[in-house]
Amino acid sequence: MPGTRRFEVPASIDMVTVLGPRDEFLRIMERDLAADIHVRGNQFTLTGTTGDIAAANEALTEIVAIIRTGQGLTAETVERVLAMGADGMRPAEILTQDILSSRGRTIRPKTLNQKRYVDAIDKHTITFGIGPAGTGKTYLAMAKAVQALQSKQVNRIILTRPAIEAGERLGYLPGTLNDKIDPYLRPLYDALHDMLDPDSIPKLLTGGVIEVAPLAYMRGRTLNDAFIVLDEAQNTSTEQMKMFLTRLGFGAKIVVTGDITQIDLPGGVRSGLRAVQGILDGVRDIAFCQLTKRDVVRHRLVGDIVAAYDRYDSTLAEAFSPRGQRGNR
């Protein structure tokens, strides 16, 4: 026999913020929760099995907790709350952790793995964020870098990427070396513009407070009192990775990000990001954080695309495995 339970939204909360514009959030709840949901005034009536009712009640509790922090809900947020609740998580604890507020928006982790990643950056001197496109690896690292600069934990930010195409394959292009490598550094500039007053960025760059440079420019340096982010680290060689990590100076923090499924190195060159976990596993004060397609926070299609490529790669791997080849004979 199905049971019934009522959930009352506090009178201080406008029901529109819970139900969404034109009941958009309510429709998402009705779609993703197994319990039947009926709303009258500020009261939800939940009908279903004991487990279904408990899950719906917990989801509503988390949604109200998020609203009470002053954080506005979106359809994406509601979907994440319901998905996290299904996995036994506490969404309000994850989705209300502020990292940085700038230009009218606040940067926060949006998944459990993102929260673990951000927490690891706080607790460790060197943190690796490894995962597919759209999981917030670089964006969150840069937000933590700006936060550290603004709170005077560090004196400067250094953002770097391996510009593997800046050699002879781009040699025919006009302009200086900086002109040629700029496209590889542009995503880092774009993220900075999201996090800082655009008018202040040229001054910070000119004054050396923020440096955006190719990885090759790190050789021979010792980086003290700095927050250093190495992006696209899957395109480093093992030698480059060692060179970069040994630039660490006193009072510095390093975050390394990359996606080992998108390696652009020439054949025969082993990715430094692939190798480093086996080399440094167990070394104190170094954290490795894995993000997955479930942590993709870009357009919903990005997550679907990543999942589709994962299935495709698995199919290929099966087809070319010894068992798969025997089956094709």
Side-chain angles (χ1 to χ4, degrees):
M1 289 289 294
T4 299
R5 182 172 180 177
R6 289 179 174 80
F7 180 93
E8 188 168 310
V9 176
S12 59
I13 294 178
D14 187 342
M15 281 297 290
V16 173
T17 64
V18 180
L19 302 177
R22 296 181 295 280
D23 291 343
E24 180 183 13
F25 304 160
L26 175 60
R27 288 197 296 273
I28 294 171
M29 294 181 224
E30 291 172 334
R31 181 193 71 197
D32 292 353
L33 293 169
D36 289 331
I37 302 172
H38 299 279
V39 181
R40 185 172 184 178
N42 68 332
Q43 192 173 83
F44 285 79
T45 301
L46 311 173
T47 305
T49 66
T50 301
D52 292 342
I53 291 172
N57 187 79
E58 186 63 30
L60 288 167
T61 300
E62 294 293 311
I63 286 171
V64 168
I66 292 172
I67 292 171
R68 275 180 160 158
T69 68
Q71 177 182 336
L73 284 182
T74 65
E76 179 189 36
T77 304
V78 174
E79 288 175 343
R80 291 192 181 282
V81 167
L82 301 184
M84 290 181 194
D87 290 338
M89 304 176 198
R90 296 298 304 272
E93 294 180 6
I94 298 168
L95 299 175
T96 57
Q97 179 180 340
D98 295 352
I99 300 173
L100 187 70
S101 294
S102 176
R103 305 174 65 192
R105 60 191 298 267
T106 301
I107 298 171
R108 304 179 177 96
K110 295 184 177 180
T111 69
L112 178 60
N113 282 337
Q114 286 192 352
K115 184 179 187 302
R116 288 171 174 163
Y117 175 48
V118 169
D119 290 344
I121 293 172
D122 285 334
K123 296 174 183 176
H124 297 84
T125 299
I126 299 177
T127 303
F128 290 83
I130 303 169
T135 51
K137 307 179 300 293
T138 304
Y139 202 77
L140 290 172
M142 292 184 64
K144 292 298 293 182
V146 172
Q147 180 194 52
L149 181 67
Q150 291 179 342
S151 61
K152 302 189 185 304
Q153 297 174 45
V154 297
N155 296 331
R156 56 183 172 151
I157 296 172
I158 298 173
L159 309 172
T160 185
R161 287 180 130 190
I164 63 167
E165 298 288 339
E168 61 184 21
R169 277 181 284 182
L170 289 180
Y172 66 89
L173 291 176
T176 65
L177 176 61
N178 284 339
D179 293 332
K180 296 175 183 180
I181 63 177
D182 185 68
Y184 300 94
L185 303 176
R186 180 52 50 189
L188 303 180
Y189 287 109
D190 291 343
L192 280 178
H193 277 265
D194 280 354
M195 300 173 189
L196 293 167
D197 177 3
D199 292 336
S200 71
I201 294 175
K203 297 175 185 176
L204 294 171
L205 291 168
T206 302
V209 177
I210 296 178
E211 178 181 349
V212 185
L215 179 59
Y217 285 29
M218 301 298 110
R219 190 173 299 276
R221 302 173 63 182
T222 300
L223 306 172
N224 296 315
D225 300 312
F227 196 116
I228 311 125
V229 178
L230 169 59
D231 189 32
E232 298 289 338
Q234 74 275 7
N235 290 328
T236 62
S237 65
T238 53
E239 294 80 8
Q240 286 175 317
M241 180 65 76
K242 178 182 177 182
M243 177 276 291
F244 171 75
L245 294 175
T246 53
R247 301 308 93 203
L248 178 69
F250 293 107
K253 189 180 285 283
I254 284 176
V255 180
V256 178
T257 71
D259 176 2
I260 57 175
T261 69
Q262 296 193 35
I263 296 172
D264 299 317
L265 292 166
V269 178
R270 189 181 184 196
S271 167
L273 187 61
R274 276 191 182 277
V276 72
Q277 187 163 1
I279 295 169
L280 298 182
D281 186 40
V283 176
R284 189 169 56 88
D285 207 19
I286 295 178
F288 288 89
C289 298
Q290 301 288 338
L291 295 108
T292 72
K293 60 180 177 288
R294 299 186 66 182
D295 301 300
V296 171
V297 293
R298 292 182 185 170
H299 192 288
R300 185 185 302 172
L301 271 178
V302 175
D304 295 341
I305 290 167
V306 171
Y309 270 93
D310 284 348
R311 291 193 297 271
Y312 174 76
D313 290 340
S314 297
T315 302
L316 282 184
E318 176 64 24
F320 285 97
S321 68
R323 185 176 64 181
Q325 289 178 344
R326 285 197 300 271
N328 289 332
R329 289 174 184 170

